[in-house]
């Protein structure tokens, strides 16, 4: 997520979990990802600023895009791009897991991924193309501020819509690569169900997303068997992930495949399989027992999702398990909120049972819990 002055944040707990306990009062479920300042490094010549905020910090951040296409190389596989149109630049962060959430660090110190000396350069959004290139949408205007925020003198002196006939799109690829060669090769609409399933193994998210969309739109039963094969045997973790959710979209996901996801070697697949198990536990209650096998999963993100999901179920064994998980992660505020997000009675019971245990061993996390 993004707003004008905060270029990267995300929802740490989904709304459905927050809504289930009306007695849990927290101000926000948003985690601010950057571990660096909001400073930016423009190189614009003769800039004209019409700002309500300070010059040299994010004030018009937009278009956050996570690059997932492979063509730019390993260096960019965990990178997010943000447009900053007022300062004529594109900022990039390296995004990594940090406990239950994510953090973003500058990719480049003291400079930006892309900056222009041209004060009319106004990047506002991005697009990952089927060729794996990063496309930068340049609004290209003399002024980027909304008219209501501009002073009357500027409004009278200039054409504030100058550039409305110009706009540009930049295509970014590794140095020395050829031009776009994909324009005549976009034939997914003519692909068979089997071909679309195979496309879920493509390294570029553009192809995977559109293949999944077409499979769900078509509702072709012929896709089910190859999708099941993909879940069980594909060497691509991303393909296994897409296949699980595509089967869900086809209303053809079996509990056995969810179990395979819960046992997957890739943490991200296990995390998503927990979400699916939550959705299908009413149809197959034995999935609840499978979930309980993940209490000591090596991934903190997996354990975090597990704690959220277990709040949906009410039995003494799960109550004890949730309490153990809370104590094991008491220094993480999001684990605390996840534990207390269970419906009111369960959350209150956990709070009461925790007081003696936690108060006897004070720490920063335990004090925050109370």
């Amino acid at each position: 997520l993004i707003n004008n002055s905060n270029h990267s944040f995300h929802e740490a707990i989904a709304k459905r979990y927050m809504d289930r306990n009306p007695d849990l009062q927290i101000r926000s479920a948003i985690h601010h990802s950057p571990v660096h300042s909001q400073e930016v490094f423009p190189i614009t010549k003769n800039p004209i600023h019409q700002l309500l905020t300070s010059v040299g910090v994010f004030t018009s951040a937009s278009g956050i895009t996570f690059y997932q296409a492979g063509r730019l190389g390993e260096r960019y596989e965990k990178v997010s791009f943000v447009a900053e149109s007022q300062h004529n630049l594109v900022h990039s962060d390296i995004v990594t897991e940090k406990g239950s959430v994510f953090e973003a660090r500058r990719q480049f110190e003291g400079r930006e991924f892309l900056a222009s000396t041209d004060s009319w350069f106004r990047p506002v959004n991005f697009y990952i193309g089927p060729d794996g290139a990063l496309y930068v949408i340049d609004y290209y205007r003399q002024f980027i501020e909304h008219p209501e925020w501009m002073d009357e003198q500027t409004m009278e002196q200039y054409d504030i819509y100058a550039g409305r006939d110009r706009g540009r799109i930049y295509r970014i690829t590794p140095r020395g690569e050829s031009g776009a060669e994909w324009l005549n090769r976009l034939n997914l609409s003519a692909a068979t169900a089997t071909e679309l399933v195979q496309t879920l193994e493509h390294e570029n998210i553009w192809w995977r997303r559109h293949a999944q969309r077409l499979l769900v739109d078509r509702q072709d039963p012929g896709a089910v068997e190859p999708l099941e094969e993909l879940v069980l045997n594909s060497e691509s973790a991303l393909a296994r992930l897409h296949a699980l959710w595509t089967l869900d979209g086809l209303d053809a996901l079996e509990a056995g495949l969810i179990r395979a996801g819960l046992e997957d070697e890739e943490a991200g697949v296990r995390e998503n399989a927990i979400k699916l198990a939550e959705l299908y536990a009413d149809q197959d209650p034995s999935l609840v027992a499978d979930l309980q096998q993940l209490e000591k999963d090596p991934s903190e993100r997996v354990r975090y999702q597990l704690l959220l999901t277990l709040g949906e179920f009410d039995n003494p064994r799960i109550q004890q398990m949730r309490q153990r998980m809370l104590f094991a992660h008491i220094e993480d505020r999001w684990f605390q909120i996840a534990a207390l997000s269970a419906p009111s009675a369960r959350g209150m019971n956990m709070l009461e049972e925790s007081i003696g245990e936690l108060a006897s061993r004070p720490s920063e996390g335990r004090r925050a819990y109370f």
Side-chain angles (χ1 to χ4, degrees):
L1 302 174
I2 195 167
N3 63 37
N4 284 2
S5 58
N6 186 346
H7 74 281
S8 180
F9 56 93
H10 67 91
E11 185 182 63
I13 298 182
K15 184 177 183 296
R16 67 182 183 277
Y17 298 126
M18 302 304 300
D19 288 346
R20 65 190 178 184
N21 185 354
D23 295 321
L24 178 60
Q25 301 294 315
I26 66 169
R27 288 177 293 179
S28 173
I30 295 299
H31 174 74
H32 296 272
S33 308
V35 295
H36 57 79
S37 71
Q38 294 294 309
E39 183 180 10
V40 293
F41 301 96
I43 61 172
T44 315
K45 293 181 179 178
N46 303 316
I48 299 176
H49 292 298
Q50 295 284 328
L51 296 176
L52 297 178
T53 54
S54 301
V55 174
V57 297
F58 279 104
T59 187
S60 58
S62 65
I64 188 168
T65 298
F66 292 85
Y67 182 76
Q68 303 172 71
R71 186 166 185 173
L72 297 184
E74 186 177 348
R75 185 182 186 184
Y76 289 92
E77 283 307 295
K78 295 183 178 180
V79 167
S80 64
F81 293 98
V82 173
E84 167 50 50
S85 57
Q86 181 61 59
H87 289 92
N88 320 111
L89 58 85
V90 172
H91 176 81
S92 59
D93 280 330
I94 297 174
V95 181
T96 55
E97 292 183 11
K98 180 66 173 180
S100 56
V101 290
F102 297 90
E103 68 178 18
R105 297 182 179 275
R106 293 185 190 277
Q107 187 178 25
F108 305 105
E109 290 296 332
R111 65 187 180 92
E112 303 295 346
F113 170 78
L114 170 61
S116 177
T117 59
D118 183 357
S119 64
W120 286 39
F121 174 61
R122 306 293 190 182
V124 293
N125 211 341
F126 308 92
Y127 190 81
I128 296 173
D131 56 344
L134 179 71
Y135 290 80
V136 181
I137 313 303
D138 177 10
Y139 193 54
Y140 205 78
R141 296 289 184 96
Q142 184 176 12
F143 297 99
I144 197 67
E145 286 286 357
H146 295 289
E148 58 264 38
W149 307 123
M150 300 181 70
D151 63 83
E152 293 182 1
Q153 182 178 356
T154 301
M155 294 276 287
E156 294 172 358
Q157 184 177 357
Y158 296 96
D159 175 8
I160 63 170
Y161 297 107
R164 56 186 173 274
D165 58 341
R166 300 192 183 185
R168 302 173 179 181
I169 299 176
Y170 293 93
R171 177 176 179 266
I172 298 177
T173 62
R175 190 187 304 273
E177 289 206 3
S178 59
E181 299 173 348
W182 51 268
L183 296 174
N184 296 320
R185 293 190 285 108
L186 296 183
N187 57 355
L188 274 182
S189 62
T192 65
T194 300
E195 290 170 337
L196 289 175
V197 172
Q198 292 171 347
T199 302
L200 296 177
E201 295 188 291
H202 202 289
E203 68 172 354
N204 183 345
I205 194 171
W206 187 96
W207 292 90
R208 298 197 307 273
R209 279 178 174 166
H210 286 287
Q212 181 171 345
R213 173 181 60 80
L214 288 168
L215 285 165
V216 174
D217 284 350
R218 291 180 185 179
Q219 292 290 304
D220 184 351
V224 172
E225 186 174 342
L227 283 168
E228 292 175 342
E229 177 70 18
L230 209 63
V231 171
L232 297 174
N233 296 312
S234 176
E235 295 182 2
S236 167
L238 288 170
R240 299 194 297 272
L241 178 62
H242 279 280
L244 282 168
W245 283 107
T246 305
L247 285 166
D248 173 65
L250 295 175
D251 197 23
L253 182 59
E254 301 291 340
L257 293 174
I258 297 176
R259 292 189 181 93
L262 293 173
E263 297 171 357
D264 197 277
E265 63 181 7
E266 181 66 36
V269 177
R270 298 196 300 276
E271 180 183 346
N272 278 269
I274 292 171
K275 297 177 182 179
L276 288 165
E278 179 182 326
L279 296 175
Y280 284 81
D282 286 343
Q283 300 177 28
D284 190 335
S286 66
L287 286 170
V288 179
D290 295 307
L291 287 171
Q292 294 175 65
Q293 304 306 309
L294 295 172
E295 179 180 354
K296 298 187 182 300
D297 191 276
S299 166
E300 195 160 345
R301 288 279 307 170
V302 170
R303 299 194 298 273
Y304 178 60
Q305 179 58 50
L306 178 63
L307 183 57
L308 287 166
T309 291
L310 290 178
E312 295 292 307
F313 311 110
D314 188 15
N315 67 56
R317 183 177 178 183
I318 286 181
Q319 173 73 14
Q320 293 170 4
M321 181 175 170
R322 291 176 54 244
Q323 189 160 309
R324 288 195 304 269
M325 294 180 72
L326 169 62
F327 291 171
H329 302 89
I330 193 63
E331 305 304 323
D332 187 322
R333 69 182 295 262
W334 294 113
F335 268 91
Q336 296 178 13
I337 296 171
L340 295 175
S341 70
S344 298
R346 299 174 213 164
M348 182 57 68
N349 290 340
M350 175 172 285
L351 180 61
E352 292 172 350
E353 294 171 8
S354 301
I355 289 176
E357 172 71 21
L358 298 178
S360 65
R361 294 176 291 148
S363 71
E364 182 177 349
R366 290 175 173 83
R367 285 192 295 272
Y369 183 75
F370 296 107

